[in-house]
Amino acid sequence: MRLQLQTWAEVERYLETASTVIMPIGSTEQHGPNGLIGTDAVTSEEIAHAVGARTNTMVAPTIAVGMAQHHMAFTGSMTLRPSTMISVIGDYVNSLAHHGFDRFYFINGHGGNSATIEAAFQEIYTAHTMSGSGAGAGASTSGGNAPSVRCRLRNWWTGSEMRPLIKQLFGDKDGMHATISEVSVTQYLFPDQIKDVAMGPPEAFTGRWTDAADYRAKFPDGRIASHPELATPEAGKQVFDIAVKQIAEEVTAFRDG
Ligand code: NI
């Protein structure tokens, strides 16, 4: 159930019996020799659409550009600065909260977003807790200090069933960036965009980078310790299906909890 494919009247009717919305969030950044630049955005978006369909939950427009400063030495990458991203997340949430949504379930496709998303949640909670109370800061309109909206962050590549599946499919070759699992999911979703690119062994992860130039110096083809040449659409379907199954269960619990 995609917000962008509803009429305003349909959204109004949805809100008569529901108040949860799924928020896909990703990144637009290089993903190694054969990975799509939109990997983190399109995977979270498609998983969100499938979870929304399975749970009858509204899905908001995707936040498709994230915190990718460290990928900016690779052509085509885009980034929001953290302060911008916090504002964007806040404006998305507050727009929908204005209409009556109060539970926001973020399906994230990019590990580099996590710290900024969590910071945005705290900004949202602070604003909702401290508003409407006149001169006295710290009190909500309900008299307590509980936030009036609830936000949850879920990285789609984690979970009790996902990690064993990835281990079973790819052993210790999945890697840290441009992973086999995420490239496989894009190959499943967009089979006409499978890139046939020769690549040697990846650079090992020997330490964290500082800025974008340092990242490229350490990892010249963009991968970190991954073997995306082993990606297949068949493996991608297995990863996608487990993500949707697990996250649908969690969205249901979040909605009803
Ligand atoms: Ni990624």
Side-chain angles (χ1 to χ4, degrees), residues 27 29-31 36-41 43 71 109-112 156-157 176-179 182-183:
S27 185
E29 63 182 48
Q30 69 83 15
H31 267 76
L36 309 182
I37 283 177
T39 295
D40 295 346
T43 52
H71 293 295
H110 175 48
W156 69 251
W157 63 92
M176 293 174 58
H177 181 65
T179 61
E182 63 182 340
V183 173

Side-chain angles (χ1 to χ4, degrees), residues 23-256:
M23 313 286 289
I25 187 164
S27 185
T28 299
E29 63 182 48
Q30 69 83 15
H31 267 76
N34 67 341
L36 309 182
I37 283 177
T39 295
D40 295 346
V42 298
T43 52
S44 59
E45 178 171 81
E46 295 293 333
I47 289 167
H49 289 170
V51 170
R54 187 171 296 194
T55 62
N56 275 324
T57 305
M58 195 71 74
V59 182
T62 303
I63 301 175
V65 178
M67 224 303 290
Q69 192 281 333
H70 53 295
H71 293 295
M72 289 302 288
F74 295 90
T75 310
S77 300
M78 299 172 66
T79 192
L80 300 178
R81 61 190 78 191
S83 55
T84 307
M85 191 172 174
I86 289 169
S87 295
V88 168
I89 292 169
D91 287 355
Y92 270 56
V93 166
N94 288 328
S95 296
L96 294 168
H98 173 77
H99 300 300
F101 291 95
D102 64 4
R103 294 188 184 219
F104 297 84
Y105 192 96
F106 282 73
I107 298 178
N108 178 37
H110 175 48
N113 285 345
S114 299
T116 307
I117 295 171
E118 293 286 3
F121 289 174
Q122 298 309 316
E123 289 281 356
I124 291 163
Y125 291 155
T126 301
H128 280 259
T129 302
M130 296 177 69
S131 66
S133 58
S140 74
T141 49
S142 61
N145 62 1
S148 53
V149 300
R150 293 178 188 213
C151 301
R152 178 72 55 83
L153 168 60
R154 178 63 159 83
N155 295 325
W156 69 251
W157 63 92
T158 64
S160 59
E161 293 179 56
M162 181 63 83
R163 298 321 299 178
L165 174 67
I166 288 175
K167 188 85 181 166
Q168 174 207 322
L169 288 171
F170 311 126
D172 60 358
K173 290 186 156 56
D174 196 41
M176 293 174 58
H177 181 65
T179 61
I180 312 174
S181 46
E182 63 182 340
V183 173
S184 293
V185 172
T186 63
Q187 291 186 351
Y188 165 58
L189 295 172
F190 302 96
D192 57 342
Q193 297 300 330
I194 296 175
K195 318 290 183 181
D196 183 17
V197 182
M199 63 187 96
E203 301 295 330
F205 178 74
T206 53
R208 213 176 148 75
W209 56 89
T210 54
D211 60 5
D214 187 46
Y215 181 108
R216 184 156 178 167
K218 284 188 166 74
F219 310 105
D221 72 4
R223 293 177 287 165
I224 305 178
S226 64
H227 290 263
E229 75 277 12
L230 302 176
T232 67
E234 293 75 22
K237 178 177 177 8
Q238 291 188 64
V239 172
F240 181 87
D241 287 347
I242 285 292
V244 172
K245 170 182 176 287
Q246 283 213 271
I247 295 172
E249 292 167 1
E250 293 169 29
V251 165
T252 301
F254 180 67
R255 178 188 69 200
D256 299 340

Side-chain angles (χ1 to χ4, degrees), residues 11-18:
V11 178
E12 196 167 82
R13 273 201 296 281
Y14 175 87
L15 283 164
E16 289 172 4
T17 57

